Amino acid sequence: MFQTSVYVERRAALAEQLKSGLLLFFGNEESPMNYADNTYSFRQDSTFLYYFGIAHPGLVAVIDIDENREIIFGNEMSIDDIVWMGRQQTIQEKANLVGISQLQPFSEVFTHINQAISKNRKIHFLPPYRADNKIKLAQLLNLSVDNLQQAASVLFIKAVAAQRSIKSALEITEIEKAVNHTIDMHLLAMRKTRPGMKEEEVDALIH
């Protein structure tokens, strides 16, 4: 996660490009392998990370340009979650680190968007690529899943692509760190691989 000012400036620059409307960002959900609590390693949506920096499942964020509001919708850990995983940083604490003070329960995103729709406000969203997010977005906007690609905001897509295509010095430093980690992983696998080893053993070394 970068400094707070990085995310604040990114969102401000994006809002300046779009001028008006409501920008809707869907984070990713956990992806189960064979039952709900046995999941693949979580990977947050890259655009959500770029603007909000929070690698936590089940989040939706809104930048309301006209009302100058930024909101993250998500549910804090339950007592069962805390018993299972231990006490962790709350979503509100993570939101504060990226300059957002407003956190609301996930269910409230439906109320918020319905109010915007009732006022004929423009809602910008990016084309979803995960099936669960396609379904939620279709329900949220009262659209067919098949029509989401066509209904996505071209202005939003172009603004995000233009902004993310130019890397800051800070980003380049992090990219170089990631590349160096990848090199270390490949070299380790090459050095440690022996005849008779299983792929899962090499994978464990890399992890």
Side-chain angles (χ1 to χ4, degrees), residues 1 37 51 57 61 67 78 96 100 115 120 125 127-128 182 187 195:
M1 183 177 284
D37 292 321
Y51 291 104
E67 296 184 3
S78 67
N96 291 339
I100 294 180
Q115 289 175 348
N120 292 318
F125 65 91
T182 304
L187 290 177

CSV table of all heavy atoms in Angstrom, one decimal, residues 1 37 51 57 61 67 78 96 100 115 120 125 127-128 182 187 195:
chain,number,residue,atom,x,y,z
A,1,MET,N,0.8,-1.2,0.0
A,1,MET,CA,0.0,0.0,0.0
A,1,MET,C,0.9,1.3,0.0
A,1,MET,O,1.9,1.3,0.7
A,1,MET,CB,-0.9,0.0,1.2
A,1,MET,CG,-1.9,1.2,1.3
A,1,MET,SD,-3.0,1.1,2.7
A,1,MET,CE,-4.2,-0.2,2.1
A,37,ASP,N,-15.6,-22.0,2.2
A,37,ASP,CA,-14.5,-21.5,3.0
A,37,ASP,C,-13.2,-22.1,2.6
A,37,ASP,O,-12.2,-21.8,3.3
A,37,ASP,CB,-14.8,-21.8,4.5
A,37,ASP,CG,-15.9,-21.0,5.0
A,37,ASP,OD1,-16.1,-19.9,4.7
A,37,ASP,OD2,-16.7,-21.6,5.8
A,51,TYR,N,-7.0,2.6,-7.1
A,51,TYR,CA,-7.6,3.8,-6.6
A,51,TYR,C,-7.9,3.7,-5.1
A,51,TYR,O,-8.1,4.7,-4.4
A,51,TYR,CB,-8.9,4.1,-7.3
A,51,TYR,CG,-8.7,4.5,-8.8
A,51,TYR,CD1,-8.9,3.7,-9.8
A,51,TYR,CD2,-8.2,5.8,-9.0
A,51,TYR,CE1,-8.6,4.1,-11.1
A,51,TYR,CE2,-7.9,6.2,-10.3
A,51,TYR,CZ,-8.2,5.3,-11.4
A,51,TYR,OH,-7.9,5.7,-12.7
A,57,PRO,N,-11.8,-8.9,0.3
A,57,PRO,CA,-12.9,-9.3,-0.5
A,57,PRO,C,-14.2,-8.6,-0.1
A,57,PRO,O,-14.4,-8.1,1.0
A,57,PRO,CB,-13.0,-10.8,-0.2
A,57,PRO,CG,-12.4,-11.0,1.1
A,57,PRO,CD,-11.3,-10.0,1.2
A,61,ALA,N,-16.9,0.3,-4.1
A,61,ALA,CA,-16.6,1.7,-3.8
A,61,ALA,C,-17.2,2.7,-4.8
A,61,ALA,O,-17.5,2.3,-5.9
A,61,ALA,CB,-15.0,2.0,-3.8
A,67,GLU,N,-21.5,15.2,-5.7
A,67,GLU,CA,-21.7,15.5,-4.3
A,67,GLU,C,-20.4,15.5,-3.5
A,67,GLU,O,-20.3,15.6,-2.3
A,67,GLU,CB,-22.6,14.4,-3.6
A,67,GLU,CG,-24.0,14.5,-4.2
A,67,GLU,CD,-25.0,13.5,-3.5
A,67,GLU,OE1,-24.6,12.9,-2.5
A,67,GLU,OE2,-26.2,13.5,-3.9
A,78,SER,N,-17.1,-10.5,11.3
A,78,SER,CA,-18.0,-11.0,12.4
A,78,SER,C,-17.2,-11.6,13.5
A,78,SER,O,-16.0,-11.8,13.4
A,78,SER,CB,-19.0,-12.0,11.8
A,78,SER,OG,-18.3,-13.2,11.5
A,96,ASN,N,-9.3,4.4,6.1
A,96,ASN,CA,-8.7,5.7,6.6
A,96,ASN,C,-7.3,5.8,6.0
A,96,ASN,O,-6.8,7.0,5.7
A,96,ASN,CB,-8.6,5.6,8.1
A,96,ASN,CG,-9.9,5.8,8.8
A,96,ASN,OD1,-10.9,6.2,8.2
A,96,ASN,ND2,-10.0,5.3,10.0
A,100,ILE,N,-10.3,7.7,3.0
A,100,ILE,CA,-11.7,7.6,2.9
A,100,ILE,C,-12.3,7.4,4.3
A,100,ILE,O,-11.9,6.4,4.9
A,100,ILE,CB,-12.2,6.5,1.9
A,100,ILE,CG1,-11.7,6.8,0.5
A,100,ILE,CG2,-13.7,6.3,2.0
A,100,ILE,CD1,-12.1,5.8,-0.5
A,115,GLN,N,-31.1,5.3,-5.4
A,115,GLN,CA,-31.4,6.8,-5.3
A,115,GLN,C,-30.8,7.6,-6.4
A,115,GLN,O,-31.4,8.5,-7.0
A,115,GLN,CB,-30.8,7.3,-3.9
A,115,GLN,CG,-31.5,6.8,-2.7
A,115,GLN,CD,-30.9,7.3,-1.4
A,115,GLN,OE1,-29.7,7.8,-1.4
A,115,GLN,NE2,-31.6,7.1,-0.3
A,120,ASN,N,-32.0,10.0,-12.1
A,120,ASN,CA,-31.5,10.0,-13.5
A,120,ASN,C,-30.0,10.5,-13.6
A,120,ASN,O,-29.6,11.1,-14.5
A,120,ASN,CB,-32.4,10.9,-14.4
A,120,ASN,CG,-33.7,10.3,-14.6
A,120,ASN,OD1,-33.9,9.1,-14.8
A,120,ASN,ND2,-34.7,11.2,-14.6
A,125,PHE,N,-19.5,2.7,-14.9
A,125,PHE,CA,-18.8,1.5,-14.4
A,125,PHE,C,-18.0,0.9,-15.5
A,125,PHE,O,-18.2,1.1,-16.7
A,125,PHE,CB,-19.9,0.5,-13.9
A,125,PHE,CG,-20.8,-0.1,-15.0
A,125,PHE,CD1,-20.5,-1.2,-15.7
A,125,PHE,CD2,-22.0,0.6,-15.3
A,125,PHE,CE1,-21.3,-1.8,-16.6
A,125,PHE,CE2,-22.9,0.1,-16.3
A,125,PHE,CZ,-22.5,-1.1,-16.9
A,127,PRO,N,-16.3,-2.6,-17.4
A,127,PRO,CA,-16.9,-3.9,-17.8
A,127,PRO,C,-16.4,-5.0,-16.8
A,127,PRO,O,-15.2,-5.1,-16.6
A,127,PRO,CB,-16.2,-4.2,-19.2
A,127,PRO,CG,-15.8,-2.9,-19.7
A,127,PRO,CD,-15.5,-2.0,-18.5
A,128,PRO,N,-17.3,-5.7,-16.1
A,128,PRO,CA,-16.9,-6.7,-15.2
A,128,PRO,C,-16.4,-7.9,-15.9
A,128,PRO,O,-16.9,-8.2,-17.0
A,128,PRO,CB,-18.2,-7.0,-14.4
A,128,PRO,CG,-19.3,-6.6,-15.4
A,128,PRO,CD,-18.8,-5.5,-16.2
A,182,THR,N,10.4,-12.0,-8.9
A,182,THR,CA,10.1,-13.0,-9.9
A,182,THR,C,11.4,-13.7,-10.3
A,182,THR,O,11.4,-14.9,-10.5
A,182,THR,CB,9.4,-12.4,-11.1
A,182,THR,OG1,8.2,-11.7,-10.6
A,182,THR,CG2,9.0,-13.4,-12.1
A,187,LEU,N,15.0,-18.5,-10.4
A,187,LEU,CA,16.3,-19.0,-10.1
A,187,LEU,C,16.3,-20.1,-9.0
A,187,LEU,O,16.9,-21.1,-9.1
A,187,LEU,CB,17.2,-17.9,-9.8
A,187,LEU,CG,17.6,-16.9,-10.9
A,187,LEU,CD1,18.5,-15.8,-10.3
A,187,LEU,CD2,18.3,-17.6,-12.0
A,195,PRO,N,15.7,-34.5,-10.4
A,195,PRO,CA,14.9,-35.6,-10.9
A,195,PRO,C,14.1,-36.3,-9.8
A,195,PRO,O,14.7,-36.6,-8.7
A,195,PRO,CB,16.0,-36.6,-11.5
A,195,PRO,CG,17.1,-35.7,-11.8
A,195,PRO,CD,17.1,-34.6,-10.7
